[in-house]
Amino acid sequence: MINKLIASILILCISSSLISQVATDAERFYYYNGEKIPLNINKNKLLIYYQSDSELDQSIFDNNKIEQDIRVPISQSEKGIYAKIIELPSNSDYSSEIQKLEILSSVISVEVVLGDSMAIPVSNNFYVKLRNEQDSTSLQLLAKNTRTKILRKVSFSKEWYVLEADKNSISDCIGVSNIFTESNLFEKVDPGFIFNISPNGCPSDAQINNQWAIDGSGIDINACCVWDVTTTGSSGVVIAVIDEGIAQNHVEFSSGTFTSASYHTQNGGSSPAQLVGVHGTQMAGVIAADHNASQIAGVAPDLKIMNISHDLFISSTISEELAAGVNFAVSNNADIINCSWSDQGGQYYTQYQSAMLEDAIDNALDNICSKRTLNSILSTYE
């Protein structure tokens, strides 16, 4: 009890000091690997979270053009909560427009939008990684002092928590996440950038002689020679494909292609994976389509595929969901993880990062590389 009281007093002092230092729009930044990264605030756009009400909806959108819908978790959409990027009226005062919106009872949160030509909105969710479970007390106290809510743990992660800021919090999501970082009480904080993840370019040809990357083009992997003298893969090797789901009954896949472990990363996570687009099937085909004289030939048709799905549509929790997919693959002993997607074409790669998604990738690298030594990898091709 005494320790908790001392911790409460310390956190109150820390948070009071940090709250007074919340940055102005002219000097907005976030923390990445201990450094302050300047943010380019788009003063013509805002992201609003609101609870639908016909009369209040009209007051929101009378003077503001809707630019893009942002998907929210089903637990919110079932309550009539929506998120939209809006474009502000020309020559409007940015701060005044935020204040006007926050006065409306239907508005839950108003968050900034970053960048110009390819905008990145900031979610009203941010993420905190504890150093250990004992830090949960500090998390609860600082959340209370910043008027933010602890929503849940991130799936397949013991240390990461999801928090939510709203218009009653002491700052917007960027400001509050900076306070959590500056407290030095936690291992990492992710401010919740909403990356517009989309599939990379995909194959569409149905004939192997048109698969230029496989063989015969001069800029290929020379797969036919490998198939002749070595292998078409090993059933002991599992590749997790995190994508739009896979049509597992497709003629190009055998009954033994897929592992029993599969996962859909959205809406809190569930099994099995779901088919929500075509890109995942195409990627799985490139990897493991049967050599059956039909359509295309996969690089390694004898290995196993773990199906992990996400619709790759822009959403307020996309980093959390993709991180859960990576961690699921690691937890279920995948040897390789395929992520054939990118955000905004990599335009903001050096500016805006997700510490939580990177942490999941680091976890995969640490676990997969330590599990499978170079010798064991080579032994699958003997």
Side-chain angles (χ1 to χ4, degrees):
M1 182 68 181
I2 293 174
N3 289 338
K4 187 173 181 179
L5 179 61
I6 293 171
S8 181
I9 293 170
L10 287 172
I11 290 172
L12 180 60
C13 293
I14 290 169
S15 57
S16 297
S17 172
L18 295 175
I19 287 166
S20 65
Q21 302 172 29
V22 174
T24 64
D25 285 333
E27 54 185 19
R28 299 303 299 272
F29 61 89
Y30 81 106
Y31 286 96
Y32 177 66
N33 287 341
E35 297 184 10
K36 287 184 177 180
I37 309 298
L39 295 174
N40 175 22
I41 304 294
N42 188 321
K43 296 294 186 69
N44 299 312
K45 298 175 183 178
L46 289 167
L47 172 62
I48 60 167
Y49 289 82
Y50 68 99
Q51 191 142 23
S52 183
D53 179 287
S54 56
E55 290 185 21
L56 291 170
D57 287 359
Q58 195 62 38
S59 62
I60 295 173
F61 303 121
D62 269 346
N63 299 313
N64 303 297
K65 177 184 175 183
I66 301 173
E67 181 173 284
Q68 187 173 10
D69 290 325
I70 304 295
R71 192 190 63 225
V72 299
I74 194 168
S75 59
Q76 291 184 323
S77 61
E78 287 177 343
K79 297 176 183 176
I81 296 173
Y82 301 94
K84 298 183 189 297
I85 299 176
I86 59 171
E87 186 174 332
L88 302 178
S90 58
N91 302 318
S92 62
D93 180 78
Y94 182 72
S95 298
S96 296
E97 293 298 324
I98 293 176
Q99 292 172 5
K100 289 178 186 176
L101 288 166
E102 289 183 335
I103 289 172
L104 299 173
S105 60
S106 65
V107 170
I108 297 169
S109 177
V110 180
E111 303 296 338
V112 299
V113 174
L114 309 173
D116 296 317
S117 58
M118 298 180 75
I120 293 183
V122 179
S123 173
N124 68 341
N125 292 157
F126 65 104
Y127 308 96
V128 178
K129 183 180 183 183
L130 307 187
R131 293 191 178 98
N132 53 63
E133 282 300 320
Q134 286 69 44
D135 288 341
S136 59
T137 300
S138 299
L139 182 70
Q140 292 167 12
L141 291 170
L142 193 51
K144 180 179 179 181
N145 289 337
T146 54
R147 298 193 292 276
T148 53
K149 301 173 185 174
I150 302 172
L151 299 183
R152 58 186 175 273
K153 283 186 175 182
V154 175
S155 299
F156 302 100
S157 170
K158 296 178 181 178
E159 305 91 0
W160 281 98
Y161 283 78
V162 186
L163 286 83
E164 181 182 80
D166 60 32
K167 65 182 181 183
N168 297 312
S169 302
I170 61 171
S171 181
D172 61 14
C173 206
I174 287 288
V176 173
S177 66
N178 284 346
I179 289 172
F180 275 74
T181 301
E182 291 166 354
S183 74
N184 292 316
L185 296 169
F186 311 105
E187 184 169 336
K188 293 180 182 179
V189 179
D190 184 327
F193 299 132
I194 301 177
F195 298 108
N196 191 359
I197 302 291
S198 58
N200 282 343
C202 55
S204 58
D205 252 311
Q207 301 176 19
I208 189 169
N209 61 355
N210 288 333
Q211 289 181 260
W212 60 267
I214 293 291
D215 206 87
S217 68
I219 48 172
D220 52 73
I221 62 174
N222 205 18
C224 292
C225 288
V226 176
W227 293 332
D228 285 342
V229 300
T230 55
T231 184
T232 50
S234 166
S235 60
V237 176
V238 176
I239 295 187
V241 177
I242 305 177
D243 213 298
E244 295 177 332
I246 303 168
Q248 296 187 191
N249 60 350
H250 193 286
V251 65
E252 283 284 20
F253 302 126
S254 68
S255 59
T257 299
F258 297 93
T259 65
S260 58
S262 70
Y263 186 66
H264 184 60
T265 65
Q266 294 166 254
N267 299 318
S270 61
S271 293
Q274 298 179 20
L275 182 61
V276 290
V278 300
H279 190 260
T281 303
Q282 293 166 336
M283 292 303 98
V286 171
I287 296 166
D290 273 352
H291 294 185
N292 56 4
S294 173
Q295 301 185 19
I296 68 170
V299 174
D302 291 336
L303 53 68
K304 296 280 190 179
I305 288 183
M306 183 184 299
N307 186 1
I308 301 175
S309 59
H310 189 287
D311 65 11
L312 302 181
F313 183 81
I314 186 168
S315 73
S316 60
T317 52
I318 192 162
S319 292
E320 174 190 355
E321 293 159 355
L322 293 176
V326 174
N327 287 328
F328 177 88
V330 174
S331 299
N332 287 275
N333 299 312
D335 299 290
I336 301 166
I337 302 176
N338 181 84
C339 305
S340 296
W341 27 264
S342 63
D343 66 281
Q344 274 91 354
Q347 180 172 338
Y348 298 119
Y349 177 73
T350 59
Q351 292 175 269
Y352 308 129
Q353 314 289 342
S354 169
M356 180 179 55
L357 185 52
E358 288 188 0
D359 198 63
I361 294 169
D362 287 341
N363 177 48
L365 292 171
D366 290 343
N367 281 277
I368 291 174
C369 290
S370 63
K371 183 180 74 171
R372 191 169 280 272
T373 64
L374 179 60
N375 285 338
S376 66
I377 293 172
L378 291 175
S379 70
T380 65
Y381 297 97
E382 291 177 354

